[in-house]
Amino acid sequence: AVPPVATPAKPGPLPDRSIVGERWRLVFQRAPQVKTDPGAVYLRSRGIPLEVVQTCGARYLAAWPHWEVEPSGNWVLRATSRRVVFPVLDLAGQLTAIQGRVIASAEYGPKVLTRGDLSAGVFQTSRDALAGSFVVIVEAPIDALSLAAAGMQAVALCGTTLPSWLPPALAFRRIALAFDADSAGDAA
């Protein structure tokens, strides 16, 4: 008998979204809060004191995994990168996404990576950042933390899209928009 010819397998579908969603949550929950690690050193180099970082709940992840599909269809861990990870919360304070920012230019992957439903929440420099009569809205968590270091609470959209709950939640308050000076920021 002639043995069957093996054909390379096509890449399988991505795992169920709910399972993937739980993985990023677990990764975030298990990561230590920024303290005296390379994440703290990076943020301090940006002028952001440790107490400001700890107020927002940022974490340090020493090995953010970068998985890729090989031509054979197998998933392989291509590399990891060190990142400061910022929580994205909904109006009730529930974690909806995380955004990781590399702490050095030599790290693998793009400068910013997001997991979860970014459109459902915002990054807040403190639990009461949305409660004041004056709210500053920026694009990036690092921008919000820079304002918090100067004594001004802020929220970051992690982009330029507002979650649907944000405008009603901020009704009748003074708002300052501080988006990036680029085409996306200007359009927002």
Side-chain angles (χ1 to χ4, degrees), residues 33-37 40 43 48-59 125-126 145:
Q33 269 202 307
V34 173
K35 290 185 182 170
T36 57
D37 48 57
L43 291 168
I48 301 167
L50 184 59
E51 53 275 3
V52 170
V53 176
Q54 289 179 333
T55 301
C56 76
R59 309 285 175 100
T125 55
S126 71
L145 288 173

Short mmCIF file of all heavy atoms in Angstrom, two decimals, residues 33-37 40 43 48-59 125-126 145:
data_model
loop_
_atom_site.label_atom_id
_atom_site.label_comp_id
_atom_site.label_asym_id
_atom_site.label_seq_id
_atom_site.Cartn_x
_atom_site.Cartn_y
_atom_site.Cartn_z
N GLN A 33 1.85 45.38 39.83
CA GLN A 33 1.73 46.82 39.66
C GLN A 33 3.12 47.40 39.47
O GLN A 33 4.10 46.88 40.00
CB GLN A 33 1.07 47.46 40.88
CG GLN A 33 -0.43 47.54 40.75
CD GLN A 33 -0.99 48.62 41.66
OE1 GLN A 33 -0.72 48.64 42.84
NE2 GLN A 33 -1.79 49.49 41.09
N VAL A 34 3.19 48.48 38.71
CA VAL A 34 4.48 49.13 38.48
C VAL A 34 5.04 49.59 39.82
O VAL A 34 4.35 50.27 40.58
CB VAL A 34 4.31 50.33 37.51
CG1 VAL A 34 5.60 51.11 37.39
CG2 VAL A 34 3.84 49.84 36.15
N LYS A 35 6.28 49.19 40.11
CA LYS A 35 6.93 49.57 41.39
C LYS A 35 8.36 50.00 41.14
O LYS A 35 8.63 51.16 40.93
CB LYS A 35 6.87 48.41 42.38
CG LYS A 35 5.46 48.15 42.88
CD LYS A 35 5.45 47.09 43.94
CE LYS A 35 4.00 46.87 44.35
NZ LYS A 35 3.84 45.74 45.18
N THR A 36 9.28 49.05 41.17
CA THR A 36 10.71 49.35 40.97
C THR A 36 11.25 48.53 39.81
O THR A 36 12.38 48.07 39.84
CB THR A 36 11.51 49.04 42.25
OG1 THR A 36 11.29 47.67 42.59
CG2 THR A 36 11.09 49.93 43.40
N ASP A 37 10.46 48.34 38.81
CA ASP A 37 10.80 47.50 37.67
C ASP A 37 11.19 48.37 36.46
O ASP A 37 11.13 49.60 36.55
CB ASP A 37 9.61 46.60 37.33
CG ASP A 37 8.32 47.41 37.27
OD1 ASP A 37 8.25 48.37 36.49
OD2 ASP A 37 7.38 47.08 38.02
N ALA A 40 8.68 51.10 35.64
CA ALA A 40 8.76 52.31 36.48
C ALA A 40 9.90 53.22 36.02
O ALA A 40 9.75 54.44 35.98
CB ALA A 40 8.95 51.92 37.94
N LEU A 43 8.72 55.01 32.84
CA LEU A 43 7.76 56.09 33.11
C LEU A 43 8.42 57.26 33.83
O LEU A 43 8.11 58.42 33.55
CB LEU A 43 6.58 55.54 33.91
CG LEU A 43 5.69 54.58 33.11
CD1 LEU A 43 4.72 53.86 34.02
CD2 LEU A 43 4.96 55.31 32.00
N ILE A 48 6.99 60.91 34.82
CA ILE A 48 5.79 60.47 35.53
C ILE A 48 6.21 59.78 36.83
O ILE A 48 6.83 58.72 36.80
CB ILE A 48 4.95 59.53 34.65
CG1 ILE A 48 4.57 60.27 33.36
CG2 ILE A 48 3.73 59.05 35.39
CD1 ILE A 48 4.01 59.41 32.28
N PRO A 49 5.87 60.37 37.97
CA PRO A 49 6.26 59.78 39.26
C PRO A 49 5.54 58.46 39.55
O PRO A 49 4.42 58.23 39.09
CB PRO A 49 5.87 60.84 40.29
CG PRO A 49 5.40 62.02 39.54
CD PRO A 49 5.18 61.63 38.12
N LEU A 50 6.15 57.64 40.37
CA LEU A 50 5.61 56.33 40.71
C LEU A 50 4.22 56.41 41.33
O LEU A 50 3.34 55.61 41.00
CB LEU A 50 6.58 55.60 41.65
CG LEU A 50 6.21 54.18 42.03
CD1 LEU A 50 6.10 53.29 40.80
CD2 LEU A 50 7.24 53.62 42.99
N GLU A 51 4.00 57.38 42.21
CA GLU A 51 2.68 57.47 42.87
C GLU A 51 1.56 57.76 41.87
O GLU A 51 0.44 57.28 42.03
CB GLU A 51 2.67 58.49 44.02
CG GLU A 51 3.17 59.88 43.68
CD GLU A 51 4.69 60.04 43.76
OE1 GLU A 51 5.41 59.06 44.03
OE2 GLU A 51 5.15 61.16 43.52
N VAL A 52 1.85 58.51 40.82
CA VAL A 52 0.86 58.76 39.77
C VAL A 52 0.55 57.48 39.01
O VAL A 52 -0.60 57.16 38.73
CB VAL A 52 1.35 59.87 38.81
CG1 VAL A 52 0.45 59.98 37.59
CG2 VAL A 52 1.43 61.20 39.54
N VAL A 53 1.59 56.71 38.72
CA VAL A 53 1.41 55.45 37.98
C VAL A 53 0.61 54.45 38.82
O VAL A 53 -0.29 53.78 38.31
CB VAL A 53 2.78 54.85 37.61
CG1 VAL A 53 2.63 53.51 36.94
CG2 VAL A 53 3.56 55.81 36.73
N GLN A 54 0.91 54.37 40.10
CA GLN A 54 0.21 53.41 40.94
C GLN A 54 -1.26 53.78 41.14
O GLN A 54 -2.11 52.91 41.28
CB GLN A 54 0.93 53.26 42.28
CG GLN A 54 2.25 52.54 42.11
CD GLN A 54 3.03 52.40 43.40
OE1 GLN A 54 2.89 53.21 44.31
NE2 GLN A 54 3.86 51.38 43.45
N THR A 55 -1.58 55.06 41.11
CA THR A 55 -2.96 55.51 41.26
C THR A 55 -3.84 55.02 40.11
O THR A 55 -5.00 54.71 40.31
CB THR A 55 -3.03 57.05 41.36
OG1 THR A 55 -2.25 57.46 42.48
CG2 THR A 55 -4.45 57.54 41.51
N CYS A 56 -3.28 54.93 38.92
CA CYS A 56 -4.07 54.53 37.75
C CYS A 56 -4.16 53.01 37.59
O CYS A 56 -4.94 52.53 36.79
CB CYS A 56 -3.50 55.14 36.47
SG CYS A 56 -2.01 54.34 35.85
N GLY A 57 -3.37 52.26 38.35
CA GLY A 57 -3.44 50.80 38.26
C GLY A 57 -2.63 50.18 37.14
O GLY A 57 -2.87 49.04 36.75
N ALA A 58 -1.65 50.91 36.61
CA ALA A 58 -0.81 50.37 35.53
C ALA A 58 0.00 49.18 36.05
O ALA A 58 0.32 49.09 37.23
CB ALA A 58 0.13 51.44 35.00
N ARG A 59 0.30 48.26 35.15
CA ARG A 59 1.06 47.07 35.49
C ARG A 59 2.29 46.99 34.60
O ARG A 59 2.37 47.63 33.55
CB ARG A 59 0.22 45.80 35.26
CG ARG A 59 -1.15 45.81 35.91
CD ARG A 59 -1.06 45.58 37.40
NE ARG A 59 -2.32 45.70 38.06
CZ ARG A 59 -3.09 44.68 38.43
NH1 ARG A 59 -2.72 43.44 38.14
NH2 ARG A 59 -4.21 44.89 39.06
N THR A 125 -6.73 58.29 34.90
CA THR A 125 -5.54 58.48 35.74
C THR A 125 -5.83 58.20 37.20
O THR A 125 -4.90 57.98 37.98
CB THR A 125 -4.99 59.91 35.59
OG1 THR A 125 -6.03 60.85 35.86
CG2 THR A 125 -4.45 60.13 34.19
N SER A 126 -7.10 58.18 37.58
CA SER A 126 -7.51 57.78 38.93
C SER A 126 -8.97 57.34 38.85
O SER A 126 -9.64 57.61 37.85
CB SER A 126 -7.35 58.92 39.93
OG SER A 126 -8.30 59.92 39.68
N LEU A 145 -1.23 60.50 31.86
CA LEU A 145 -0.35 60.42 33.03
C LEU A 145 0.55 61.65 33.13
O LEU A 145 0.86 62.11 34.24
CB LEU A 145 0.48 59.15 32.97
CG LEU A 145 -0.30 57.86 33.25
CD1 LEU A 145 0.58 56.64 33.00
CD2 LEU A 145 -0.87 57.85 34.65
#
